[in-house]
Amino acid sequence: MQSPLGTERVYFDPPVASTLVEAWWPRYLRTLTGLTPTARSALEADCRYILERGILGDGEPNEHTWPANRVRTGLVMGSVQSGKTASMLGVSALALDEGVDVLVILAGTRLSLWRQTFERLATQLDGGETSAQKISRRLLVPSPDVVLSKEPSHLTNIYRMPSAAVRRRLQDNNPIIAVAMKHTDHLHTLGRALKTSVFEAISKLDRPAQMLVLDDEADDGSILDARVEAGQDLVSGNLKQVPRAIANLWEPAQPAPSNLFTTYIGYTATPQANLLQEDHNPLAPRDFIISLRTPLDVGNPVDPTNPGDLDAPRSSTYPEPEGSHSFYTGGEVFYRRGARAALCQPITGNQDLDLAEALRAFLVAGAIRLHRSGMHGPRTAMNLLFDTEENAAIGVAAPHSMLLHPSATITDHFQGAEDVLLWAGVSDRSTARALLETGDARLPGSLLASITGEPAKWSAWLDLYERSAREIEAEFNILNPAPFPDWATTEVLLAEEVIPGTRVSVVNSDPGADDRPFFRPTLDSETGKWRAARDLSTIFVSGNVMARGLTLEGMTTALFQRSSANPLADTQMQMQRWFGYRGSYIELCRVFADPDQLDLFRAYHDIDEAVRVAVTEKMAGSAPDPVVLQGMSFLATGKIANLGRRPLSPGSKPFVKLINDGSRPDPNVQLMTNLFDTEPSSDLVVGHTRGRIRDTPLSLGEAADWLDSLDFAGYWPGRNHQVAEHWAQVEARLNAIQPLVPPGLYRAPLCAGVPSAVRSVCPYSIAAYLRLWDACLTRPVRGLFVSGRPAELWSMSDLERKMVDQPRFWIGIRYGDGNPVSTGVASELPFTILATTKSVDAGEITTAWGSNDPSAGPGQYRGDEFFDYYHRGSSVPTLAGDSAWRPIGSDGLILFYVNQLPGQAHPALAVGVSLPAGGPEQFAATRAGAVTI
C-alpha cells in the first residue's frame, strides 16, 4: 500500500480488522467433546489449581516476590494414559489468557511423540481455519507444514522465529508458542532462536515478560543425577545434555533479560526420579508438586459450579456420575477391584501356548466389540471410501488393539510378529518376515481352520468374558450391561471380518518397523475421498517405544512376556499401556503376564497410589514432601544411581542403647517399677533364675505409650527432623483413610532449646511403629508391605486376620551378674533384681541383647530375645540370622536391663524390644550419599 507521503509500507503480518479475539480457554474447551461434564469440570479445576498455585504461586512476575533467579520449578503427577496432555494444553490455554508471553512445550524424546503432541496442540489449542487473524494472534513454531511434512527440514528452519514477527507479537501482548522435541540438537536450536529473536525483544519491553515451559514425560530424558556426574570431565565426561539444554532455554550462557520470569513444570505419571534428583538441579521441583485426578466411583466430588475453588477437598479420584463407561481404568481396576473379573491372567511360561491363548482372547473380544457396534468391520472398511473425514471415522467400528511385548530387544519384536503369523497359519518364518515388510501383514484365512478344528478353545473366551461382565457389573453397580452375541454369531464375525481384517505391526526404533499406529482416517490422493483408519484391528508388537507416550486406541489385550532381573518401578509402570479409559469394554480386557510380574504390577500400583495420596495431602498443606517408595524386590527408578532403601520398621529386635548415667535416680527405673508394682509377675527359671516377667502382656497401644514415656537426660530430638517428617508422611496416608487421634504417631519430647540429634534406634520411633501397626489394623493403607513377607501388600491383606494376629508385648527384667539392686524404687519390689554390669560409653550401652546360644537344645536357654517363650511354655522358634523376625502371629517382648556399674550411685535402665513379623513395612528410596537416620 502507499502512505499519504508516498512511502511504501510492507507488513510482515498484514493488519486485520479490529475484532474481539476469543480467549484461549473457551476455544480449547469446545474441542473436548469426548469428556463428560464432570470430567471437563475436573480438568478445569486442576488446570486452574496449577495456574494459581503453581505458575502464579508467587503472584504476578515481580522481583520482590519471585525467587532471586526469577525461576519457579514444579511437578505435575498424572496417571499412565489418563489425560496428562489434556491438562497440559488446558494449563497452556489458561496461562495464555493470563498473559504468558512465551509458551514452550517439550513434546517427548521421539519424533512420533513430538508430532503427536504438535497435532493435538494445533487441533485443540490452536484450532480453527488458518486466517490472518489466527496468524496474528500468536507465533507458532514450527509451522504445521514443517512438522507434518515427510520431507526433512533443517533445524534452523524448523525453529525459525523472525525478529519482526516476534516484536509485533510481544508488543501486542500475543504469545510465541514453540513445540520442541527433547533432543539436544532441537533444544540448542530453539535456545539460539529464543536468544537471538525473543530475548532481545523482551529486554526492550517496559513490563515483565513471562515464559512457561511444560515438559511432557518429564522423567524421560530430563533427569539430572548430579552425584553420578560429580567430577566428570566437562568435555569428555558422560554428562547428560538434555536437562542442561532445557535449563539453557531460560538460563543461557549470557544472562537472560532481567525482566524475564520463567516457570518450568514437568508432567509425568512416574515422578520417582524427578523427586529423587538433587534439589539444586535446575529442573528439580522446588516450588510445587501437584497431583491430577482421575474419574471413578469414589473420592471427593467435583463442584461444576465452582471449578476455581482451590481449597475444595481433593482426592486421587473423583466420582463420575455418568458411570463406568467414563471411568479411568488404571491399576485400581486391573489389580484390585477387577480381581474377581480375572482381568489379569498368569501365563504358563510356555510361549507357544501363552501366545495362542492371548491371540484367541483378542480376536474373540474383537468380534464381541464389533457385534456391539453394529458398524462396518475392519475387513469391509478396507475397501470403503467416504466423502468426509468425519464419516470415515464414525462409519466403521472403533479401533481394536493388542500389544505383544516380548522384550526390549528389537530382533525379538520381529520374531514375535513372525510367531503371530506362524500361529495363524503362515507356512514359514521367511514368508512371515516378507509379509511384515510389506507393511500390511494380515492374518491368513488358514486360521479359520483352527476355529472349526478346536471350537472349544475359542468359544471358551465368550464364556469367560460373560463371567467377567457379571463381576464387573456387581463391583461397579452397572444397571445396563452391554450385550453379548451367541457363539454362532461370534464365529461368523471372526471369519468374515475380524480375522481377515486384523493386521500385525512391529512398532519400534528399527527403520524397517512402522513409524507409529494410525487410528485416524486418511485422505486418498487419487480419489479425493477418505479411507477408514489403517489400524482398526491390529496386533502391535513392540518394546520400549510403546512404553512412553504413544497410545493404543481400543486396546483390550496385552501379552507381557518381558521379565527383568532388576525391575524398576517407574519404567515398568510406563509399560502398562492397558491403562486408560476402557470402561465401556473393561470386561473384555486381559493382561497376560508372569505371576511374579503381576505381583510387581500390583506393588507398583500400591506405592504409586501412596505417593499420589501424599502429594494430594501436601496440596492441602497437611503433609511434608512426598517420600518415594520402592520394594525389597524392585527399585523406584534406574535414573538415579546407587539408590538405597530406608525401612519403616525398627527391625526385628531393636535395642535402645541410650541410658542415663545413674548419678541421680533414673526416671525410667520408676516407669519399670510401676509396671511390676501393679500387676503379678513370676520368676523365669531356665536352669537357674534368669529374671522376672509380668504375667499379663501389654497391647500394641499400651506398649507404644510406655516407650514414649521413657526419659533420657539430654535426648530431646523434637519433631523437626528427617525422622519426624518420615512419620508425618505416613500419617498423611492414614489420615486420608480415617483420621488419627492427635497427637499422631511420632511423639518425641519437645525441647525449648537446641534439639538433640535423632538417633538411629530411637525409642520414640519404635513407639510410633507400634502405634502405626495398631492403626493399620483397621486401615488398608497403600504403600505398605508386610514385614517378613516383603511381597505381600498390606492394603490387600485380610485385616480381620491381621487383627487376630496382632502381637501383645510381654514385659521382662533380665537379671545380671552384678549386685542386688538395693537403692531406689526398684529395691522396694517384692523380688530382688540382680543388676547387669554392661559397659557404658558416652551415654550408650556398648552391647545389646545378652545371652545368646544358638546351639541350645530343649530345656536350655537360647537367648534373651526369647525370654517370654520360656515363661509361656512355647516352643522357641528357629530364626535364621540377626535380622530374622519372630513368626507372624507371635507375641513381642520388651526386656529391661537394670544396669549398675561399681561406684554408680543409682541403677539405670536399658531396653530391648523383640518384634514379630506381620507388621506394616515401607521401603523409602534414598539418594546415594543422602543423610539418612
Side-chain angles (χ1 to χ4, degrees), residues 681-693 812-815 861 863-864 866-873 895:
S681 59
S682 306
D683 284 335
L684 182 73
V685 180
V686 185
H688 62 271
T689 301
R690 305 280 178 169
R692 192 81 174 182
I693 189 167
I813 304 173
R814 179 66 165 99
Y815 294 170
Y861 190 72
D864 287 358
F866 305 109
F867 194 85
D868 56 309
Y869 278 88
Y870 295 101
H871 169 71
R872 292 182 281 121
L895 190 61

Side-chain angles (χ1 to χ4, degrees), residues 650-659 707 710 712 759-763 766 812 814 836 838-840 843-851 864-865 882 893-899 908-915:
S652 60
K653 47 178 182 178
F655 194 94
V656 181
K657 292 188 175 183
L658 276 167
I659 193 167
L707 288 167
L710 289 171
F712 297 97
R759 294 177 180 259
S760 57
V761 180
C762 172
I766 301 173
R814 179 66 165 99
T836 58
K838 293 176 177 288
S839 60
V840 177
E844 285 194 354
I845 291 281
T846 58
T847 59
W849 295 89
S851 305
D864 287 358
E865 64 181 289
D882 291 338
L893 168 69
I894 297 176
L895 190 61
F896 303 133
Y897 295 83
V898 183
N899 204 64
L909 195 72
V911 182
V913 181
S914 185
L915 293 165

